[in-house]
Amino acid sequence: MPFQALTGEALADRLAEAVPDSVERADGDCVWVEPSQIAITAQFLRDDPGLDFQFLNAISAVDFIDSFDVVYHLTSFRQQHKGVVKARLHGRESLSLPSVYEVWRGADLQEREVWDLMGIRFEGHPNMKRIMLWEGFDGHPLRKDYL
Amino acid sequence: MYGLAMVKGLMVTLKNLTRKPFTVQYPEERLTQHPRFRGEEFVWYEERCTGCASCAKYCPLGIIKIVTSPSETAIDQGDKYRLEVFDIELQRCMFCGLCVEACPYDALFMGSGFEQGKYSRKGMFISIDQLRQSEKHPSTFFRPQLESTGYNPHKNRPLDWKEVGRESWNWHRQEKMGMRLASGPDLDNGSAEELEPAGTSSSDGSNGASS
Amino acid sequence: MTGEQEFRGIESGPLFDRTWHIDRVEGAAVQGLKDTSVEPLSEPLIEVPDDLKGNLVVTSVDALVNWGRKSALWPVTFGLACCAFEMIATAMGRFDIARFGMEAFRASPRQADLMIIAGTVTWKMAPAIQRIHEQMAEPKWVISMGVCATSGGPYFGSYSVVPGVDHIIPVDVYVPGCPPRPDALLFGVMELHEKIKKYHNLRPGSRNVPGGTLAAENP
Amino acid sequence: MPIRTEPMTVNVGPQHPSTHGVFRLRITFDGEEILEVEPVFGYLHRGTEKLAEERNYVQVVTLTDRLDYVSSMINNQAYCLAVEQLLEVEPPDRGKYLRTIAAELQRIAAHLMGIGFFLQDLGTLGTPLMYCFRTREKILDLFEMLCGARITVSYLRPGGVFADAPEDFWPALDRFLTDLPGELSELEQLILENEIVMVRTRGVSTLPLDMAINSSVSGPVLRASGLAWDWRKAEPYDAYDRVEFDVPVAQNGDNYDRFWVRMQELHQSARIVRQCVEQIEPGPVRLDLPLVLRPEPGREAYGRVEASKGELAFYLFSDGGISPYRCKIRSPSLINLTVTEHLLVGWKLADMIVTLGSVDINMGEVDR
């Protein structure tokens, strides 16, 4: 079975029936998820036998000045497919997102990194310490307004 | 059996007793570097440099400082700028060679020397005078025309600027004349036969620089 | 608190929750160093005295002591980034730094007299470097290997990189390159040898300053 | 009846001879036994992602060299693949083969470092490390022939490689490939069956497969735990769909297995290089792209390779400018360290260093 990429629509269909109110919209190759629902969605994505996303490749955050995108790249080894889930956070101050630490332990260091460099806090993560920079560092350097 | 694998391992080390040593006795004996080696110096041919500062613009670190002024000879007739400053900050350079890649006129080359230890950070830049006076042993990095001639930078003969260009100096001169004469009189000796093909080897990574 | 933890006598809570104060202290030290180290330190220069009064005995002793010092420089094992691999390659079979009497890379700064700053120095690492440098016994020397250590190099201007290790400790020899090849490092070491040869250990009035070199400002 | 002792919190690093760079651990010991671990990162955090946002697409290649500095070619490859995805271009065939050759040679060099330092951490006092460095020096010589540098190569460019290999590269590569099996078998004879190595590493710091997957562990560490997953097979890039190779896999997930998987991958890499040398044909090596690239705005790319440490990926977002709007690096070394606590807790102080060696981290990539 060749390795394939799941489209956003396919993911959105599965999510819409299992986790109500979670899907914002589907885009060509990714699905946009309501930020507050991200942990529940993650649980479903991992446990659903048809989707079976056991492996979290990466958590990335992108700063769009008036909003922040958090991108989850996922892979299933058994089903041989990959998918992209995104969540959009609006505003710039006191951003937070439910942590997927309990679903994928691999999120541990990545979420800390996003907090340190982008300033997005993950609720439910046990250890929201700065990871790369020192305590007392002013600001989050990967934000576009950090010079 | 316990210890057998260790004996096997010791046999391996024993074999090395009779081997030729791998060590290079550095100050006396030097490793043969390869012609593309990007050393910690630069070779610059002023005659070919137009002061366009492509290298400075393309340097990822912005460490090349170029100051030019219009030369007294008529600039509207295609004459070049006069260079006053061409400083390369050695203390920040990472010798990636992107400046060489960006130079459209084959004026800047990587050098092949590496012995550049300094006592003071203040003197750690290559000035225009140093570039003018230093012996020219250009590396063939990103200059495939040198490679195709089998040139070796470590043969100790400095290369003249007429030998290192992508095209022969003749062609260059004719092109300049063409530019100068575009507004005026005849164009007699710019015959196409004398033009040499640009880029002589199949690899020819030069396309990026001019496009 | 689990029974296991209670039995072992561990305080409650995971370790990372109990180390906040350490992190804060460290962060304050880093931030303090970053705020104060804005100018490079003066370069340790060797002063050649105007009146070469040094008599024959003193100069011979100097020569002997300097020869001893230069022939057995022991570097501290201290690799930071890419340059560390070239430093290790220098110590390995092909370039064999043992030919210079330097194969004893010491894990403890107390036993070393040369520090090769091999790699990018970040502000978070700077207090550690400063401390290791202070722990080394006099006389001591520092080679800044590669342009990252010299000036920040490819990372110059980054929010977390020291713009030159000479902002925090004095440097004797700078070796440019990114990274310098092992031969280039050996050349830097030989330059340091030349520098060590010029020391006047017994000249009256000379004194050692931190950095293990003679004071340039000494009258 | 266990004796009650005072636990002690010890700081290891950031300057420690065997933490593979500037890595720091806070460890609570009870005697020799590790009770708690807290890894502390960031001592080599250089802000690569921020700097990438202010350099153009080709200039960023020079930054990727310095991430995992023992496998620069593979880093270049991951980044160039991401940029090519943004631009929707594909390099010419000869370029693909040259990239594959370079990447596999680099994998041999990187694994040799992983193996050498792992054994060094076991206390072999340099002998196997010397053997590893001897072979690595030959690879670095080949790189110098290709691109003029030993470590920070910048050989690959978006759209191919910067130049074709020089003529004397091919005989030199042949010589190297002829010598390599002998050198590897020497290394294997020296160490692979050594009783001390076996006793010190077998069954130590095991990582079960479900935990490895859940913690996003990748690369040789994942394969040692029993999953034959290799992105070169799953999502072939460059010339990997045209060569045959096996994915070595072990079952126990202990220190020895991680070391063993790396040893086997050396042979597979050599096999790939040999096939590439047979298959490569003359032709262009680089696309005719402008020096300053401008991908379409709003596009994103996730360029992924199987690097020597695991899955290395660049997530690029373009706003139509000359430099990436966002360049996120998914670094295998950092994410493999998610399992530090699991690997170390319950084992002895002496195993800690060995385990770190077997995970084979590289601080340039952990902290970036």
Side-chain angles (χ1 to χ4, degrees):
Chain A
M1 185 166 55
F3 192 73
Q4 53 174 345
L6 287 189
T7 58
E9 284 80 15
L11 274 171
D13 287 349
R14 298 301 302 274
L15 279 175
E17 60 192 60
V19 191
D21 305 332
S22 64
V23 178
E24 275 185 359
R25 65 196 159 91
D27 216 350
D29 51 355
C30 65
V31 58
W32 294 84
V33 172
E34 181 70 34
S36 57
Q37 304 282 318
I38 199 85
I40 306 160
T41 313
Q43 186 78 38
F44 172 73
L45 287 168
R46 190 193 69 177
D47 293 339
D48 183 63
L51 293 172
D52 190 51
F53 285 117
Q54 304 165 303
F55 192 82
L56 170 70
N57 294 83
I59 301 178
S60 325
V62 190
D63 180 2
F64 289 110
I65 316 290
D66 53 352
S67 64
F68 283 80
D69 277 8
V70 180
V71 188
Y72 298 80
H73 286 88
L74 306 168
T75 301
S76 167
F77 294 137
R78 281 194 216 113
Q79 302 291 337
Q80 298 266 338
H81 59 219
K82 61 179 180 180
V84 183
V85 176
K86 288 187 182 178
R88 175 160 286 181
L89 295 163
H90 294 280
R92 294 193 73 77
E93 298 306 319
S94 60
L95 297 169
S96 76
L97 198 65
S99 170
V100 294
Y101 176 87
E102 294 301 328
V103 184
W104 295 293
R105 275 293 312 278
D108 182 0
L109 299 176
Q110 304 189 52
E111 286 184 347
R112 276 178 70 186
E113 192 191 326
V114 172
W115 155 242
D116 187 0
L117 302 180
M118 270 297 186
I120 299 172
R121 196 167 257 288
F122 288 87
E123 300 301 330
H125 190 288
N127 182 18
M128 271 282 123
K129 259 187 192 179
R130 279 194 179 267
I131 179 169
M132 296 301 173
L133 295 161
W134 54 92
E135 287 302 325
F137 186 86
D138 189 25
H140 302 282
L142 279 187
R143 289 192 170 194
K144 288 286 173 189
D145 55 0
Y146 184 92
L147 295 172
Chain B
M1 199 188 85
Y2 193 80
L4 195 69
M6 271 187 218
V7 174
K8 248 167 86 182
L10 285 174
M11 291 301 288
V12 172
T13 43
L14 205 63
K15 257 192 269 171
N16 277 296
L17 268 180
T18 55
R19 279 223 185 115
K20 210 171 110 242
F22 188 52
T23 309
V24 183
Q25 306 282 338
Y26 161 63
E28 293 86 24
E29 175 192 354
R30 270 150 198 278
L31 214 58
T32 45
Q33 290 150 3
H34 301 288
R36 275 187 197 174
F37 173 63
R38 315 201 286 257
E40 270 93 66
E41 57 183 38
F42 289 89
V43 175
W44 177 60
Y45 292 97
E46 194 184 4
E47 293 85 345
R48 197 167 279 130
C49 184
T50 61
C52 69
S54 291
C55 46
K57 283 171 206 151
Y58 209 60
C59 176
L61 308 172
I63 57 164
I64 303 178
K65 184 182 175 191
I66 293 178
V67 177
T68 55
S69 60
S71 60
E72 273 82 37
T73 50
I75 194 151
D76 53 322
Q77 290 178 7
D79 218 338
K80 63 170 193 172
Y81 289 92
R82 188 177 56 211
L83 278 115
E84 279 162 6
V85 179
F86 192 111
D87 282 356
I88 302 174
E89 227 179 298
L90 194 63
Q91 58 167 336
R92 272 173 62 201
C93 181
M94 58 176 164
F95 310 99
C96 60
L98 285 179
C99 50
V100 179
E101 187 173 341
C103 179
Y105 300 107
D106 278 16
L108 192 64
F109 291 68
M110 298 303 291
S112 48
F114 56 83
E115 285 152 334
Q116 292 283 353
K118 296 264 179 358
Y119 291 131
S120 165
R121 212 181 123 178
K122 294 194 181 76
M124 281 182 83
F125 64 91
I126 304 176
S127 68
I128 190 164
D129 296 326
Q130 266 169 291
L131 283 170
R132 275 183 188 136
Q133 287 153 14
S134 63
E135 288 215 326
K136 311 252 189 280
H137 298 291
S139 147
T140 65
F141 173 80
F142 218 85
R143 296 295 182 221
Q145 74 276 11
L146 280 179
E147 220 153 72
S148 62
T149 57
Y151 155 77
N152 180 356
H154 309 289
K155 274 191 290 190
N156 274 338
R157 189 179 65 86
L159 281 193
D160 191 66
W161 64 288
K162 288 176 188 169
E163 297 170 86
V164 297
R166 189 169 302 156
E167 60 281 326
S168 76
W169 167 238
N170 251 343
W171 181 84
H172 203 76
R173 195 175 57 194
Q174 278 158 14
E175 168 152 276
K176 263 182 93 173
M177 278 174 79
M179 285 164 75
R180 208 171 269 176
L181 299 174
S183 56
D186 55 337
L187 195 74
D188 52 353
N189 50 0
S191 57
E193 283 77 47
E194 284 176 55
L195 302 185
E196 285 186 17
T200 39
S201 88
S202 64
S203 59
D204 192 14
S206 59
N207 42 32
S210 48
S211 53
Chain C
M1 190 184 280
T2 63
E4 169 79 5
Q5 276 179 331
E6 201 174 340
F7 176 75
R8 302 272 196 188
I10 304 176
E11 298 159 55
S12 64
L15 182 62
F16 53 76
D17 261 354
R18 283 180 275 129
T19 50
W20 277 99
H21 64 285
I22 305 180
D23 285 340
R24 290 209 184 91
V25 169
E26 191 199 339
V30 171
Q31 194 66 46
L33 193 65
K34 187 180 179 184
D35 293 342
T36 50
S37 315
V38 284
E39 284 293 310
L41 304 173
S42 65
E43 276 157 350
L45 298 169
I46 293 181
E47 190 200 356
V48 179
D50 303 328
D51 50 337
L52 282 164
K53 279 188 290 192
N55 57 38
L56 189 66
V57 177
V58 172
T59 50
S60 312
V61 169
D62 271 345
L64 184 70
V65 170
N66 288 337
W67 172 80
R69 282 177 176 173
K70 89 161 179 59
S71 307
L73 277 173
W74 284 8
V76 58
T77 320
F78 191 67
L80 290 166
C82 332
C83 290
F85 270 84
E86 288 296 59
M87 186 177 79
I88 299 163
T90 317
M92 288 295 146
R94 196 180 200 181
F95 297 96
D96 197 12
I97 208 167
R99 295 179 292 121
F100 296 82
M102 291 172 67
E103 76 276 26
F105 274 80
R106 305 315 297 177
S108 162
R110 310 269 183 208
Q111 302 160 353
D113 48 11
L114 171 65
M115 191 173 184
I116 302 178
I117 310 281
T120 320
V121 182
T122 58
W123 284 115
K124 202 169 176 182
M125 193 64 195
I129 291 174
Q130 218 174 24
R131 176 173 293 192
I132 293 164
H133 185 255
E134 278 161 14
Q135 283 172 340
M136 283 162 59
E138 296 277 351
K140 56 194 169 188
W141 296 276
V142 176
I143 291 181
S144 154
M145 179 184 182
V147 292
C148 281
T150 304
S151 69
Y155 299 97
F156 181 84
S158 173
Y159 52 86
S160 58
V161 173
V162 181
V165 72
D166 58 348
H167 285 69
I168 48 172
I169 54 172
V171 179
D172 292 278
V173 175
Y174 298 91
V175 183
C178 194
R181 30 183 308 125
D183 331 26
L185 177 62
L186 289 177
F187 181 77
V189 168
M190 290 186 323
E191 285 206 316
L192 182 63
H193 287 174
E194 290 302 313
K195 187 172 188 174
I196 293 172
K197 276 189 203 162
K198 289 181 193 148
Y199 277 69
H200 294 272
N201 305 292
L202 302 174
R203 191 165 66 83
S206 77
R207 61 182 173 91
N208 280 336
V209 292
T213 42
L214 296 178
E217 74 281 2
N218 198 30
Chain D
M1 174 67 193
I3 303 163
R4 184 181 168 145
T5 48
E6 274 291 303
M8 185 162 64
T9 303
V10 176
N11 177 55
V12 182
Q15 195 270 327
H16 189 274
S18 49
T19 49
H20 296 247
V22 285
F23 186 41
R24 180 175 173 196
L25 287 164
R26 291 194 192 113
I27 305 178
T28 309
F29 287 109
D30 180 15
E32 284 268 306
E33 197 188 327
I34 296 171
L35 298 182
E36 285 172 301
V37 175
E38 185 197 0
V40 186
F41 305 92
Y43 291 92
L44 196 56
H45 178 66
R46 309 184 271 199
T48 306
E49 292 177 12
K50 185 78 178 175
L51 288 173
E53 288 172 11
E54 50 200 53
R55 298 193 184 174
N56 76 32
Y57 282 95
V58 178
Q59 288 170 347
V60 175
V61 173
T62 61
L63 283 175
T64 64
D65 283 336
R66 290 158 180 80
L67 286 175
D68 177 359
Y69 32 80
V70 295
S71 57
S72 315
M73 289 281 190
I74 306 178
N75 301 346
N76 283 185
Q77 196 180 20
Y79 174 74
C80 291
L81 285 168
V83 177
E84 282 155 15
Q85 276 183 32
L86 276 183
L87 296 166
E88 290 183 305
V89 294
E90 218 175 306
D93 269 4
R94 191 178 172 83
K96 284 185 176 181
Y97 277 109
L98 277 171
R99 280 176 175 205
T100 313
I101 291 172
E104 289 307 314
L105 287 175
Q106 185 75 76
R107 193 183 311 276
I108 296 176
H111 276 344
L112 281 171
M113 289 300 94
I115 292 164
F117 282 103
F118 166 70
L119 295 167
Q120 173 93 342
D121 292 343
L122 265 173
T124 54
L125 287 179
T127 312
L129 189 61
M130 291 262 190
Y131 281 74
C132 293
F133 260 94
R134 188 185 59 185
T135 312
R136 181 177 179 262
E137 285 287 336
K138 292 180 184 172
I139 297 174
L140 296 190
D141 260 7
L142 291 174
F143 286 169
E144 198 180 295
M145 256 180 216
L146 273 178
C147 61
R150 288 156 51 89
I151 288 187
T152 49
V153 288
S154 304
Y155 178 53
L156 276 63
R157 295 287 147 83
V161 298
F162 91 80
D164 203 347
E167 277 151 31
D168 53 351
F169 173 76
W170 301 106
L173 180 61
D174 262 353
R175 257 195 320 280
F176 169 74
L177 287 175
T178 319
D179 293 349
L180 185 67
E183 284 173 19
L184 291 185
S185 80
E186 237 180 27
L187 189 64
E188 281 169 358
Q189 274 183 39
L190 186 69
I191 212 76
L192 199 60
E193 291 163 23
N194 188 305
E195 283 88 354
I196 299 175
V197 174
M198 296 276 203
V199 171
R200 285 289 308 279
T201 58
R202 280 221 157 147
V204 176
S205 295
T206 49
L207 180 65
L209 181 61
D210 54 343
M211 174 137 206
I213 293 175
N214 196 246
S215 302
S216 298
V217 163
S218 56
V221 186
L222 179 63
R223 291 193 279 276
S225 291
L227 182 70
W229 188 265
D230 193 320
W231 289 107
R232 291 175 290 175
K233 284 269 190 213
E235 253 189 348
Y237 48 92
D238 284 350
Y240 286 107
D241 50 347
R242 299 174 218 180
V243 291
E244 278 177 23
F245 62 100
D246 300 325
V247 180
V249 59
Q251 296 306 323
N252 302 325
D254 54 15
N255 282 349
Y256 183 80
D257 280 357
R258 290 190 272 273
F259 157 64
W260 182 86
V261 165
R262 284 197 188 93
M263 286 297 271
Q264 301 309 312
E265 283 187 10
L266 293 176
H267 295 285
Q268 299 304 327
S269 292
R271 200 173 140 198
I272 295 174
V273 176
R274 266 188 220 106
Q275 291 176 50
C276 286
V277 173
E278 279 165 20
Q279 291 177 15
I280 193 166
E281 276 169 11
V285 294
R286 186 179 181 178
L287 289 178
D288 195 359
L289 295 176
L291 207 56
V292 177
L293 303 168
R294 278 176 189 275
E296 280 170 43
R299 287 187 64 88
E300 59 179 43
Y302 189 75
R304 158 161 57 197
V305 299
E306 181 73 29
S308 57
K309 313 278 191 289
E311 176 196 340
L312 172 70
F314 283 80
Y315 174 70
L316 297 180
F317 191 92
S318 153
D319 65 341
I322 58 169
S323 51
Y325 185 76
R326 175 83 169 96
C327 172
K328 146 93 188 178
I329 304 154
R330 190 258 188 228
S331 63
S333 293
L334 173 72
I335 296 170
N336 284 0
L337 281 175
T338 310
V339 290
T340 326
E341 209 173 329
H342 173 82
L343 287 178
L344 298 183
V345 170
W347 298 97
K348 298 273 188 282
L349 166 66
D351 297 326
M352 175 196 91
I353 296 295
V354 184
T355 305
L356 280 180
S358 81
V359 177
D360 189 18
I361 52 165
N362 183 302
M363 289 322 285
E365 201 177 53
V366 172
D367 295 339
R368 305 192 293 284

